[in-house]
Amino acid sequence: MNQAHTLSPPSYRPLAGMAWGFLAVLLFSAGLPATRVSVDAGMSGLFTGAGRAALGALFAAVLLLLTRQRWPTPQQCARLAVVALGVVFGYPLLSSVALETVSATHGVLVTALLPLCTALFGAFLCRHRPRAGFWLCAVSGTVLVLFYAGRQAEGQWQLADLWLLLSCVLCGLGYAEGARLTKELGSWQVICWALVLSLPILLPIVWLTWPTREVALSGWLSLLYLGSASMFIGFFFWYRGLAIGGVTLVSQIQLLQPFSALWLSALLLGEPVSAQAIWICLAVVACVALGRRYA
């Protein structure tokens, strides 16, 4: 089956887009806790970040070969490089390095800015102008999560927070540009090509940072999850949702990701979840639901 370079754009279906986005967020939510497990098991942050992407790239290469996809055009490759900068290198590598020195809970809370970054880049690149009510809901939800993040951090912001914030900016750009490319390449093809085109850079990083000490089995299992679910399968759902529901709207589903990730951190790492987190989560859900009316 050959893949045409130009696909007819999918119809705008906001509810379906949010449903696809929610499935992706469920898979992404375990990303930071699993990264922390890998680091605690004896892997470096660079190896974890590059290893998950390289593993995802191998899965992507097999799928592209089996479905006999055509190579993207040079112009599309340049845009795929922007996607890769954010979702293959920026977020995985920077967040993994940050989690060498901060907890998964801390990382989850700081990356609460990701939905707002995605919405801003989406509005700019896709020339979508939501009403003021949408931005009010988006900023309100973000402020709620950042308020909780500040309470949890107790003023102890550090260099790792800079890497986490930068990862959000780059990832938001990658999400928005990837959503635009889905109209030409297809939803799952975007992440597959971004991963495969990054492989020549990823493999040397993996080779140079390969663990020199014994790594616990939990680390390798976490890396397998990161490479297959968080770095590969989740993006099938995510770019599909962004394409049919709109980047600015569907990106707000990510506001729920910190809370599902917090509970996974509690389950996997024994990190506590307070009653305050639950109340803020409910308030964020309300912001997302209300924001949909103005998108």
Side-chain angles (χ1 to χ4, degrees), residues 75-76 78-83 118 121-122 125-126 171-182 184 190 239 242 247:
Q75 293 81 4
Q76 290 169 338
R79 295 171 63 189
L80 284 167
V82 175
V83 177
T118 305
F121 280 117
L125 294 176
C126 301
C171 193
L173 174 61
Y175 280 163
E177 183 59 33
R180 291 205 306 162
L181 266 175
T182 60
E184 301 175 23
V190 168
Y239 280 129
L242 293 177
V247 177

mmCIF file with all atom_site columns, all heavy atoms in Angstrom, residues 75-76 78-83 118 121-122 125-126 171-182 184 190 239 242 247:
data_model
loop_
_atom_site.group_PDB
_atom_site.id
_atom_site.type_symbol
_atom_site.label_atom_id
_atom_site.label_alt_id
_atom_site.label_comp_id
_atom_site.label_asym_id
_atom_site.label_entity_id
_atom_site.label_seq_id
_atom_site.pdbx_PDB_ins_code
_atom_site.Cartn_x
_atom_site.Cartn_y
_atom_site.Cartn_z
_atom_site.occupancy
_atom_site.B_iso_or_equiv
_atom_site.pdbx_formal_charge
_atom_site.auth_seq_id
_atom_site.auth_comp_id
_atom_site.auth_asym_id
_atom_site.auth_atom_id
_atom_site.pdbx_PDB_model_num
ATOM 1   N N   . GLN A 1 75  ? 10.665 19.109 1.656  1.00 0.00 ? 75  GLN A N   1
ATOM 2   C CA  . GLN A 1 75  ? 9.979  20.121 2.453  1.00 0.00 ? 75  GLN A CA  1
ATOM 3   C C   . GLN A 1 75  ? 9.325  19.491 3.694  1.00 0.00 ? 75  GLN A C   1
ATOM 4   O O   . GLN A 1 75  ? 9.371  20.050 4.798  1.00 0.00 ? 75  GLN A O   1
ATOM 5   C CB  . GLN A 1 75  ? 8.918  20.834 1.611  1.00 0.00 ? 75  GLN A CB  1
ATOM 6   C CG  . GLN A 1 75  ? 9.473  21.688 0.475  1.00 0.00 ? 75  GLN A CG  1
ATOM 7   C CD  . GLN A 1 75  ? 9.840  20.861 -0.761 1.00 0.00 ? 75  GLN A CD  1
ATOM 8   O OE1 . GLN A 1 75  ? 9.616  19.643 -0.794 1.00 0.00 ? 75  GLN A OE1 1
ATOM 9   N NE2 . GLN A 1 75  ? 10.399 21.528 -1.757 1.00 0.00 ? 75  GLN A NE2 1
ATOM 10  N N   . GLN A 1 76  ? 8.745  18.306 3.507  1.00 0.00 ? 76  GLN A N   1
ATOM 11  C CA  . GLN A 1 76  ? 8.127  17.615 4.638  1.00 0.00 ? 76  GLN A CA  1
ATOM 12  C C   . GLN A 1 76  ? 9.178  17.131 5.637  1.00 0.00 ? 76  GLN A C   1
ATOM 13  O O   . GLN A 1 76  ? 8.945  17.136 6.846  1.00 0.00 ? 76  GLN A O   1
ATOM 14  C CB  . GLN A 1 76  ? 7.276  16.459 4.133  1.00 0.00 ? 76  GLN A CB  1
ATOM 15  C CG  . GLN A 1 76  ? 6.014  16.901 3.413  1.00 0.00 ? 76  GLN A CG  1
ATOM 16  C CD  . GLN A 1 76  ? 5.317  15.772 2.693  1.00 0.00 ? 76  GLN A CD  1
ATOM 17  O OE1 . GLN A 1 76  ? 5.934  14.747 2.363  1.00 0.00 ? 76  GLN A OE1 1
ATOM 18  N NE2 . GLN A 1 76  ? 4.029  15.938 2.430  1.00 0.00 ? 76  GLN A NE2 1
ATOM 19  N N   . ALA A 1 78  ? 11.927 18.663 6.329  1.00 0.00 ? 78  ALA A N   1
ATOM 20  C CA  . ALA A 1 78  ? 12.321 19.831 7.117  1.00 0.00 ? 78  ALA A CA  1
ATOM 21  C C   . ALA A 1 78  ? 11.313 20.082 8.233  1.00 0.00 ? 78  ALA A C   1
ATOM 22  O O   . ALA A 1 78  ? 11.684 20.414 9.368  1.00 0.00 ? 78  ALA A O   1
ATOM 23  C CB  . ALA A 1 78  ? 12.437 21.058 6.216  1.00 0.00 ? 78  ALA A CB  1
ATOM 24  N N   . ARG A 1 79  ? 10.039 19.893 7.943  1.00 0.00 ? 79  ARG A N   1
ATOM 25  C CA  . ARG A 1 79  ? 9.005  20.091 8.967  1.00 0.00 ? 79  ARG A CA  1
ATOM 26  C C   . ARG A 1 79  ? 9.026  18.940 9.975  1.00 0.00 ? 79  ARG A C   1
ATOM 27  O O   . ARG A 1 79  ? 8.770  19.149 11.163 1.00 0.00 ? 79  ARG A O   1
ATOM 28  C CB  . ARG A 1 79  ? 7.648  20.215 8.294  1.00 0.00 ? 79  ARG A CB  1
ATOM 29  C CG  . ARG A 1 79  ? 7.528  21.462 7.414  1.00 0.00 ? 79  ARG A CG  1
ATOM 30  C CD  . ARG A 1 79  ? 6.269  21.454 6.592  1.00 0.00 ? 79  ARG A CD  1
ATOM 31  N NE  . ARG A 1 79  ? 5.085  21.482 7.434  1.00 0.00 ? 79  ARG A NE  1
ATOM 32  C CZ  . ARG A 1 79  ? 3.852  21.309 6.962  1.00 0.00 ? 79  ARG A CZ  1
ATOM 33  N NH1 . ARG A 1 79  ? 3.659  21.072 5.674  1.00 0.00 ? 79  ARG A NH1 1
ATOM 34  N NH2 . ARG A 1 79  ? 2.824  21.360 7.788  1.00 0.00 ? 79  ARG A NH2 1
ATOM 35  N N   . LEU A 1 80  ? 9.354  17.743 9.514  1.00 0.00 ? 80  LEU A N   1
ATOM 36  C CA  . LEU A 1 80  ? 9.497  16.617 10.435 1.00 0.00 ? 80  LEU A CA  1
ATOM 37  C C   . LEU A 1 80  ? 10.660 16.832 11.396 1.00 0.00 ? 80  LEU A C   1
ATOM 38  O O   . LEU A 1 80  ? 10.634 16.347 12.534 1.00 0.00 ? 80  LEU A O   1
ATOM 39  C CB  . LEU A 1 80  ? 9.685  15.317 9.649  1.00 0.00 ? 80  LEU A CB  1
ATOM 40  C CG  . LEU A 1 80  ? 8.433  14.733 9.003  1.00 0.00 ? 80  LEU A CG  1
ATOM 41  C CD1 . LEU A 1 80  ? 8.806  13.645 7.993  1.00 0.00 ? 80  LEU A CD1 1
ATOM 42  C CD2 . LEU A 1 80  ? 7.488  14.163 10.061 1.00 0.00 ? 80  LEU A CD2 1
ATOM 43  N N   . ALA A 1 81  ? 11.681 17.560 10.947 1.00 0.00 ? 81  ALA A N   1
ATOM 44  C CA  . ALA A 1 81  ? 12.804 17.874 11.836 1.00 0.00 ? 81  ALA A CA  1
ATOM 45  C C   . ALA A 1 81  ? 12.335 18.740 13.004 1.00 0.00 ? 81  ALA A C   1
ATOM 46  O O   . ALA A 1 81  ? 12.829 18.597 14.133 1.00 0.00 ? 81  ALA A O   1
ATOM 47  C CB  . ALA A 1 81  ? 13.903 18.595 11.049 1.00 0.00 ? 81  ALA A CB  1
ATOM 48  N N   . VAL A 1 82  ? 11.375 19.630 12.746 1.00 0.00 ? 82  VAL A N   1
ATOM 49  C CA  . VAL A 1 82  ? 10.811 20.453 13.818 1.00 0.00 ? 82  VAL A CA  1
ATOM 50  C C   . VAL A 1 82  ? 10.050 19.565 14.805 1.00 0.00 ? 82  VAL A C   1
ATOM 51  O O   . VAL A 1 82  ? 10.151 19.733 16.025 1.00 0.00 ? 82  VAL A O   1
ATOM 52  C CB  . VAL A 1 82  ? 9.882  21.541 13.240 1.00 0.00 ? 82  VAL A CB  1
ATOM 53  C CG1 . VAL A 1 82  ? 9.204  22.327 14.359 1.00 0.00 ? 82  VAL A CG1 1
ATOM 54  C CG2 . VAL A 1 82  ? 10.669 22.475 12.332 1.00 0.00 ? 82  VAL A CG2 1
ATOM 55  N N   . VAL A 1 83  ? 9.283  18.618 14.257 1.00 0.00 ? 83  VAL A N   1
ATOM 56  C CA  . VAL A 1 83  ? 8.561  17.669 15.115 1.00 0.00 ? 83  VAL A CA  1
ATOM 57  C C   . VAL A 1 83  ? 9.547  16.885 15.969 1.00 0.00 ? 83  VAL A C   1
ATOM 58  O O   . VAL A 1 83  ? 9.372  16.745 17.191 1.00 0.00 ? 83  VAL A O   1
ATOM 59  C CB  . VAL A 1 83  ? 7.710  16.705 14.261 1.00 0.00 ? 83  VAL A CB  1
ATOM 60  C CG1 . VAL A 1 83  ? 7.023  15.671 15.144 1.00 0.00 ? 83  VAL A CG1 1
ATOM 61  C CG2 . VAL A 1 83  ? 6.666  17.483 13.454 1.00 0.00 ? 83  VAL A CG2 1
ATOM 62  N N   . THR A 1 118 ? 1.398  24.052 23.846 1.00 0.00 ? 118 THR A N   1
ATOM 63  C CA  . THR A 1 118 ? 0.835  23.425 22.649 1.00 0.00 ? 118 THR A CA  1
ATOM 64  C C   . THR A 1 118 ? -0.266 24.290 22.048 1.00 0.00 ? 118 THR A C   1
ATOM 65  O O   . THR A 1 118 ? -0.339 24.473 20.825 1.00 0.00 ? 118 THR A O   1
ATOM 66  C CB  . THR A 1 118 ? 0.274  22.038 22.992 1.00 0.00 ? 118 THR A CB  1
ATOM 67  O OG1 . THR A 1 118 ? 1.292  21.245 23.610 1.00 0.00 ? 118 THR A OG1 1
ATOM 68  C CG2 . THR A 1 118 ? -0.197 21.319 21.728 1.00 0.00 ? 118 THR A CG2 1
ATOM 69  N N   . PHE A 1 121 ? 1.326  27.468 20.305 1.00 0.00 ? 121 PHE A N   1
ATOM 70  C CA  . PHE A 1 121 ? 1.936  27.144 19.018 1.00 0.00 ? 121 PHE A CA  1
ATOM 71  C C   . PHE A 1 121 ? 0.877  26.713 18.002 1.00 0.00 ? 121 PHE A C   1
ATOM 72  O O   . PHE A 1 121 ? 0.964  27.031 16.822 1.00 0.00 ? 121 PHE A O   1
ATOM 73  C CB  . PHE A 1 121 ? 2.980  26.040 19.179 1.00 0.00 ? 121 PHE A CB  1
ATOM 74  C CG  . PHE A 1 121 ? 4.301  26.532 19.696 1.00 0.00 ? 121 PHE A CG  1
ATOM 75  C CD1 . PHE A 1 121 ? 4.791  26.107 20.921 1.00 0.00 ? 121 PHE A CD1 1
ATOM 76  C CD2 . PHE A 1 121 ? 5.066  27.415 18.955 1.00 0.00 ? 121 PHE A CD2 1
ATOM 77  C CE1 . PHE A 1 121 ? 6.009  26.560 21.409 1.00 0.00 ? 121 PHE A CE1 1
ATOM 78  C CE2 . PHE A 1 121 ? 6.288  27.880 19.431 1.00 0.00 ? 121 PHE A CE2 1
ATOM 79  C CZ  . PHE A 1 121 ? 6.758  27.451 20.660 1.00 0.00 ? 121 PHE A CZ  1
ATOM 80  N N   . GLY A 1 122 ? -0.128 25.978 18.472 1.00 0.00 ? 122 GLY A N   1
ATOM 81  C CA  . GLY A 1 122 ? -1.193 25.536 17.578 1.00 0.00 ? 122 GLY A CA  1
ATOM 82  C C   . GLY A 1 122 ? -1.971 26.698 17.004 1.00 0.00 ? 122 GLY A C   1
ATOM 83  O O   . GLY A 1 122 ? -2.276 26.742 15.806 1.00 0.00 ? 122 GLY A O   1
ATOM 84  N N   . LEU A 1 125 ? 0.541  28.484 14.443 1.00 0.00 ? 125 LEU A N   1
ATOM 85  C CA  . LEU A 1 125 ? 0.873  27.751 13.227 1.00 0.00 ? 125 LEU A CA  1
ATOM 86  C C   . LEU A 1 125 ? -0.356 27.396 12.400 1.00 0.00 ? 125 LEU A C   1
ATOM 87  O O   . LEU A 1 125 ? -0.318 27.408 11.166 1.00 0.00 ? 125 LEU A O   1
ATOM 88  C CB  . LEU A 1 125 ? 1.651  26.477 13.579 1.00 0.00 ? 125 LEU A CB  1
ATOM 89  C CG  . LEU A 1 125 ? 3.040  26.678 14.198 1.00 0.00 ? 125 LEU A CG  1
ATOM 90  C CD1 . LEU A 1 125 ? 3.645  25.337 14.584 1.00 0.00 ? 125 LEU A CD1 1
ATOM 91  C CD2 . LEU A 1 125 ? 3.961  27.417 13.231 1.00 0.00 ? 125 LEU A CD2 1
ATOM 92  N N   . CYS A 1 126 ? -1.443 27.035 13.073 1.00 0.00 ? 126 CYS A N   1
ATOM 93  C CA  . CYS A 1 126 ? -2.662 26.631 12.365 1.00 0.00 ? 126 CYS A CA  1
ATOM 94  C C   . CYS A 1 126 ? -3.610 27.807 12.106 1.00 0.00 ? 126 CYS A C   1
ATOM 95  O O   . CYS A 1 126 ? -4.675 27.627 11.524 1.00 0.00 ? 126 CYS A O   1
ATOM 96  C CB  . CYS A 1 126 ? -3.403 25.554 13.168 1.00 0.00 ? 126 CYS A CB  1
ATOM 97  S SG  . CYS A 1 126 ? -2.422 24.067 13.469 1.00 0.00 ? 126 CYS A SG  1
ATOM 98  N N   . CYS A 1 171 ? 8.355  20.660 23.070 1.00 0.00 ? 171 CYS A N   1
ATOM 99  C CA  . CYS A 1 171 ? 7.350  19.631 22.813 1.00 0.00 ? 171 CYS A CA  1
ATOM 100 C C   . CYS A 1 171 ? 6.061  20.255 22.278 1.00 0.00 ? 171 CYS A C   1
ATOM 101 O O   . CYS A 1 171 ? 5.425  19.711 21.373 1.00 0.00 ? 171 CYS A O   1
ATOM 102 C CB  . CYS A 1 171 ? 7.066  18.847 24.083 1.00 0.00 ? 171 CYS A CB  1
ATOM 103 S SG  . CYS A 1 171 ? 6.131  17.333 23.821 1.00 0.00 ? 171 CYS A SG  1
ATOM 104 N N   . GLY A 1 172 ? 5.667  21.409 22.821 1.00 0.00 ? 172 GLY A N   1
ATOM 105 C CA  . GLY A 1 172 ? 4.483  22.091 22.318 1.00 0.00 ? 172 GLY A CA  1
ATOM 106 C C   . GLY A 1 172 ? 4.625  22.448 20.852 1.00 0.00 ? 172 GLY A C   1
ATOM 107 O O   . GLY A 1 172 ? 3.681  22.304 20.061 1.00 0.00 ? 172 GLY A O   1
ATOM 108 N N   . LEU A 1 173 ? 5.814  22.900 20.463 1.00 0.00 ? 173 LEU A N   1
ATOM 109 C CA  . LEU A 1 173 ? 6.088  23.197 19.055 1.00 0.00 ? 173 LEU A CA  1
ATOM 110 C C   . LEU A 1 173 ? 5.995  21.934 18.208 1.00 0.00 ? 173 LEU A C   1
ATOM 111 O O   . LEU A 1 173 ? 5.400  21.937 17.123 1.00 0.00 ? 173 LEU A O   1
ATOM 112 C CB  . LEU A 1 173 ? 7.479  23.829 18.925 1.00 0.00 ? 173 LEU A CB  1
ATOM 113 C CG  . LEU A 1 173 ? 7.984  24.072 17.502 1.00 0.00 ? 173 LEU A CG  1
ATOM 114 C CD1 . LEU A 1 173 ? 7.063  25.030 16.749 1.00 0.00 ? 173 LEU A CD1 1
ATOM 115 C CD2 . LEU A 1 173 ? 9.423  24.606 17.524 1.00 0.00 ? 173 LEU A CD2 1
ATOM 116 N N   . GLY A 1 174 ? 6.584  20.839 18.705 1.00 0.00 ? 174 GLY A N   1
ATOM 117 C CA  . GLY A 1 174 ? 6.541  19.577 17.962 1.00 0.00 ? 174 GLY A CA  1
ATOM 118 C C   . GLY A 1 174 ? 5.138  19.037 17.803 1.00 0.00 ? 174 GLY A C   1
ATOM 119 O O   . GLY A 1 174 ? 4.772  18.527 16.733 1.00 0.00 ? 174 GLY A O   1
ATOM 120 N N   . TYR A 1 175 ? 4.328  19.159 18.838 1.00 0.00 ? 175 TYR A N   1
ATOM 121 C CA  . TYR A 1 175 ? 2.935  18.713 18.760 1.00 0.00 ? 175 TYR A CA  1
ATOM 122 C C   . TYR A 1 175 ? 2.167  19.506 17.698 1.00 0.00 ? 175 TYR A C   1
ATOM 123 O O   . TYR A 1 175 ? 1.433  18.943 16.878 1.00 0.00 ? 175 TYR A O   1
ATOM 124 C CB  . TYR A 1 175 ? 2.240  18.911 20.110 1.00 0.00 ? 175 TYR A CB  1
ATOM 125 C CG  . TYR A 1 175 ? 2.538  17.845 21.141 1.00 0.00 ? 175 TYR A CG  1
ATOM 126 C CD1 . TYR A 1 175 ? 2.259  18.077 22.493 1.00 0.00 ? 175 TYR A CD1 1
ATOM 127 C CD2 . TYR A 1 175 ? 3.078  16.621 20.794 1.00 0.00 ? 175 TYR A CD2 1
ATOM 128 C CE1 . TYR A 1 175 ? 2.522  17.118 23.450 1.00 0.00 ? 175 TYR A CE1 1
ATOM 129 C CE2 . TYR A 1 175 ? 3.344  15.664 21.748 1.00 0.00 ? 175 TYR A CE2 1
ATOM 130 C CZ  . TYR A 1 175 ? 3.064  15.907 23.083 1.00 0.00 ? 175 TYR A CZ  1
ATOM 131 O OH  . TYR A 1 175 ? 3.310  14.958 24.025 1.00 0.00 ? 175 TYR A OH  1
ATOM 132 N N   . ALA A 1 176 ? 2.322  20.827 17.736 1.00 0.00 ? 176 ALA A N   1
ATOM 133 C CA  . ALA A 1 176 ? 1.557  21.685 16.827 1.00 0.00 ? 176 ALA A CA  1
ATOM 134 C C   . ALA A 1 176 ? 1.969  21.468 15.376 1.00 0.00 ? 176 ALA A C   1
ATOM 135 O O   . ALA A 1 176 ? 1.113  21.358 14.479 1.00 0.00 ? 176 ALA A O   1
ATOM 136 C CB  . ALA A 1 176 ? 1.740  23.150 17.223 1.00 0.00 ? 176 ALA A CB  1
ATOM 137 N N   . GLU A 1 177 ? 3.272  21.409 15.121 1.00 0.00 ? 177 GLU A N   1
ATOM 138 C CA  . GLU A 1 177 ? 3.730  21.191 13.747 1.00 0.00 ? 177 GLU A CA  1
ATOM 139 C C   . GLU A 1 177 ? 3.363  19.789 13.266 1.00 0.00 ? 177 GLU A C   1
ATOM 140 O O   . GLU A 1 177 ? 2.994  19.593 12.104 1.00 0.00 ? 177 GLU A O   1
ATOM 141 C CB  . GLU A 1 177 ? 5.248  21.394 13.658 1.00 0.00 ? 177 GLU A CB  1
ATOM 142 C CG  . GLU A 1 177 ? 5.823  21.260 12.250 1.00 0.00 ? 177 GLU A CG  1
ATOM 143 C CD  . GLU A 1 177 ? 5.217  22.245 11.265 1.00 0.00 ? 177 GLU A CD  1
ATOM 144 O OE1 . GLU A 1 177 ? 4.861  23.373 11.660 1.00 0.00 ? 177 GLU A OE1 1
ATOM 145 O OE2 . GLU A 1 177 ? 5.094  21.879 10.081 1.00 0.00 ? 177 GLU A OE2 1
ATOM 146 N N   . GLY A 1 178 ? 3.430  18.816 14.164 1.00 0.00 ? 178 GLY A N   1
ATOM 147 C CA  . GLY A 1 178 ? 3.037  17.456 13.787 1.00 0.00 ? 178 GLY A CA  1
ATOM 148 C C   . GLY A 1 178 ? 1.572  17.372 13.416 1.00 0.00 ? 178 GLY A C   1
ATOM 149 O O   . GLY A 1 178 ? 1.188  16.654 12.491 1.00 0.00 ? 178 GLY A O   1
ATOM 150 N N   . ALA A 1 179 ? 0.733  18.113 14.139 1.00 0.00 ? 179 ALA A N   1
ATOM 151 C CA  . ALA A 1 179 ? -0.697 18.120 13.835 1.00 0.00 ? 179 ALA A CA  1
ATOM 152 C C   . ALA A 1 179 ? -0.953 18.664 12.435 1.00 0.00 ? 179 ALA A C   1
ATOM 153 O O   . ALA A 1 179 ? -1.818 18.177 11.707 1.00 0.00 ? 179 ALA A O   1
ATOM 154 C CB  . ALA A 1 179 ? -1.450 18.946 14.869 1.00 0.00 ? 179 ALA A CB  1
ATOM 155 N N   . ARG A 1 180 ? -0.191 19.696 12.037 1.00 0.00 ? 180 ARG A N   1
ATOM 156 C CA  . ARG A 1 180 ? -0.351 20.237 10.679 1.00 0.00 ? 180 ARG A CA  1
ATOM 157 C C   . ARG A 1 180 ? 0.072  19.219 9.630  1.00 0.00 ? 180 ARG A C   1
ATOM 158 O O   . ARG A 1 180 ? -0.559 19.082 8.583  1.00 0.00 ? 180 ARG A O   1
ATOM 159 C CB  . ARG A 1 180 ? 0.485  21.509 10.519 1.00 0.00 ? 180 ARG A CB  1
ATOM 160 C CG  . ARG A 1 180 ? -0.021 22.698 11.313 1.00 0.00 ? 180 ARG A CG  1
ATOM 161 C CD  . ARG A 1 180 ? 0.426  23.992 10.677 1.00 0.00 ? 180 ARG A CD  1
ATOM 162 N NE  . ARG A 1 180 ? 1.867  24.056 10.471 1.00 0.00 ? 180 ARG A NE  1
ATOM 163 C CZ  . ARG A 1 180 ? 2.455  24.914 9.623  1.00 0.00 ? 180 ARG A CZ  1
ATOM 164 N NH1 . ARG A 1 180 ? 1.722  25.741 8.902  1.00 0.00 ? 180 ARG A NH1 1
ATOM 165 N NH2 . ARG A 1 180 ? 3.774  24.939 9.504  1.00 0.00 ? 180 ARG A NH2 1
ATOM 166 N N   . LEU A 1 181 ? 1.126  18.469 9.933  1.00 0.00 ? 181 LEU A N   1
ATOM 167 C CA  . LEU A 1 181 ? 1.636  17.493 8.955  1.00 0.00 ? 181 LEU A CA  1
ATOM 168 C C   . LEU A 1 181 ? 0.715  16.291 8.779  1.00 0.00 ? 181 LEU A C   1
ATOM 169 O O   . LEU A 1 181 ? 0.793  15.601 7.765  1.00 0.00 ? 181 LEU A O   1
ATOM 170 C CB  . LEU A 1 181 ? 3.022  17.016 9.392  1.00 0.00 ? 181 LEU A CB  1
ATOM 171 C CG  . LEU A 1 181 ? 4.214  17.769 8.798  1.00 0.00 ? 181 LEU A CG  1
ATOM 172 C CD1 . LEU A 1 181 ? 5.513  17.262 9.416  1.00 0.00 ? 181 LEU A CD1 1
ATOM 173 C CD2 . LEU A 1 181 ? 4.263  17.612 7.284  1.00 0.00 ? 181 LEU A CD2 1
ATOM 174 N N   . THR A 1 182 ? -0.132 16.019 9.753  1.00 0.00 ? 182 THR A N   1
ATOM 175 C CA  . THR A 1 182 ? -1.030 14.867 9.623  1.00 0.00 ? 182 THR A CA  1
ATOM 176 C C   . THR A 1 182 ? -1.946 15.012 8.412  1.00 0.00 ? 182 THR A C   1
ATOM 177 O O   . THR A 1 182 ? -2.410 14.018 7.856  1.00 0.00 ? 182 THR A O   1
ATOM 178 C CB  . THR A 1 182 ? -1.903 14.681 10.877 1.00 0.00 ? 182 THR A CB  1
ATOM 179 O OG1 . THR A 1 182 ? -2.701 15.850 11.090 1.00 0.00 ? 182 THR A OG1 1
ATOM 180 C CG2 . THR A 1 182 ? -1.058 14.407 12.096 1.00 0.00 ? 182 THR A CG2 1
ATOM 181 N N   . GLU A 1 184 ? -1.086 15.918 5.572  1.00 0.00 ? 184 GLU A N   1
ATOM 182 C CA  . GLU A 1 184 ? -0.343 15.533 4.379  1.00 0.00 ? 184 GLU A CA  1
ATOM 183 C C   . GLU A 1 184 ? 0.179  14.098 4.445  1.00 0.00 ? 184 GLU A C   1
ATOM 184 O O   . GLU A 1 184 ? 0.196  13.391 3.443  1.00 0.00 ? 184 GLU A O   1
ATOM 185 C CB  . GLU A 1 184 ? 0.840  16.488 4.160  1.00 0.00 ? 184 GLU A CB  1
ATOM 186 C CG  . GLU A 1 184 ? 0.442  17.946 4.002  1.00 0.00 ? 184 GLU A CG  1
ATOM 187 C CD  . GLU A 1 184 ? 1.653  18.866 3.907  1.00 0.00 ? 184 GLU A CD  1
ATOM 188 O OE1 . GLU A 1 184 ? 2.738  18.364 3.520  1.00 0.00 ? 184 GLU A OE1 1
ATOM 189 O OE2 . GLU A 1 184 ? 1.532  20.060 4.225  1.00 0.00 ? 184 GLU A OE2 1
ATOM 190 N N   . VAL A 1 190 ? 3.314  10.578 10.862 1.00 0.00 ? 190 VAL A N   1
ATOM 191 C CA  . VAL A 1 190 ? 4.118  11.716 11.310 1.00 0.00 ? 190 VAL A CA  1
ATOM 192 C C   . VAL A 1 190 ? 5.122  11.294 12.373 1.00 0.00 ? 190 VAL A C   1
ATOM 193 O O   . VAL A 1 190 ? 6.326  11.551 12.257 1.00 0.00 ? 190 VAL A O   1
ATOM 194 C CB  . VAL A 1 190 ? 3.201  12.845 11.837 1.00 0.00 ? 190 VAL A CB  1
ATOM 195 C CG1 . VAL A 1 190 ? 4.030  13.901 12.571 1.00 0.00 ? 190 VAL A CG1 1
ATOM 196 C CG2 . VAL A 1 190 ? 2.437  13.490 10.695 1.00 0.00 ? 190 VAL A CG2 1
ATOM 197 N N   . TYR A 1 239 ? -1.830 12.439 17.636 1.00 0.00 ? 239 TYR A N   1
ATOM 198 C CA  . TYR A 1 239 ? -1.887 13.229 16.409 1.00 0.00 ? 239 TYR A CA  1
ATOM 199 C C   . TYR A 1 239 ? -3.227 13.067 15.697 1.00 0.00 ? 239 TYR A C   1
ATOM 200 O O   . TYR A 1 239 ? -3.686 13.992 15.026 1.00 0.00 ? 239 TYR A O   1
ATOM 201 C CB  . TYR A 1 239 ? -0.726 12.871 15.479 1.00 0.00 ? 239 TYR A CB  1
ATOM 202 C CG  . TYR A 1 239 ? 0.567  13.537 15.879 1.00 0.00 ? 239 TYR A CG  1
ATOM 203 C CD1 . TYR A 1 239 ? 1.740  12.814 16.027 1.00 0.00 ? 239 TYR A CD1 1
ATOM 204 C CD2 . TYR A 1 239 ? 0.611  14.904 16.123 1.00 0.00 ? 239 TYR A CD2 1
ATOM 205 C CE1 . TYR A 1 239 ? 2.925  13.433 16.405 1.00 0.00 ? 239 TYR A CE1 1
ATOM 206 C CE2 . TYR A 1 239 ? 1.786  15.531 16.506 1.00 0.00 ? 239 TYR A CE2 1
ATOM 207 C CZ  . TYR A 1 239 ? 2.933  14.790 16.637 1.00 0.00 ? 239 TYR A CZ  1
ATOM 208 O OH  . TYR A 1 239 ? 4.097  15.408 17.018 1.00 0.00 ? 239 TYR A OH  1
ATOM 209 N N   . LEU A 1 242 ? -5.418 15.560 17.619 1.00 0.00 ? 242 LEU A N   1
ATOM 210 C CA  . LEU A 1 242 ? -5.101 16.935 17.264 1.00 0.00 ? 242 LEU A CA  1
ATOM 211 C C   . LEU A 1 242 ? -5.617 17.288 15.879 1.00 0.00 ? 242 LEU A C   1
ATOM 212 O O   . LEU A 1 242 ? -6.076 18.410 15.632 1.00 0.00 ? 242 LEU A O   1
ATOM 213 C CB  . LEU A 1 242 ? -3.583 17.161 17.321 1.00 0.00 ? 242 LEU A CB  1
ATOM 214 C CG  . LEU A 1 242 ? -2.916 17.102 18.691 1.00 0.00 ? 242 LEU A CG  1
ATOM 215 C CD1 . LEU A 1 242 ? -1.409 17.274 18.540 1.00 0.00 ? 242 LEU A CD1 1
ATOM 216 C CD2 . LEU A 1 242 ? -3.471 18.160 19.633 1.00 0.00 ? 242 LEU A CD2 1
ATOM 217 N N   . VAL A 1 247 ? -5.816 21.656 17.413 1.00 0.00 ? 247 VAL A N   1
ATOM 218 C CA  . VAL A 1 247 ? -4.690 21.654 18.347 1.00 0.00 ? 247 VAL A CA  1
ATOM 219 C C   . VAL A 1 247 ? -5.025 22.401 19.630 1.00 0.00 ? 247 VAL A C   1
ATOM 220 O O   . VAL A 1 247 ? -4.753 21.928 20.741 1.00 0.00 ? 247 VAL A O   1
ATOM 221 C CB  . VAL A 1 247 ? -3.439 22.274 17.682 1.00 0.00 ? 247 VAL A CB  1
ATOM 222 C CG1 . VAL A 1 247 ? -2.282 22.329 18.681 1.00 0.00 ? 247 VAL A CG1 1
ATOM 223 C CG2 . VAL A 1 247 ? -3.034 21.467 16.459 1.00 0.00 ? 247 VAL A CG2 1
#
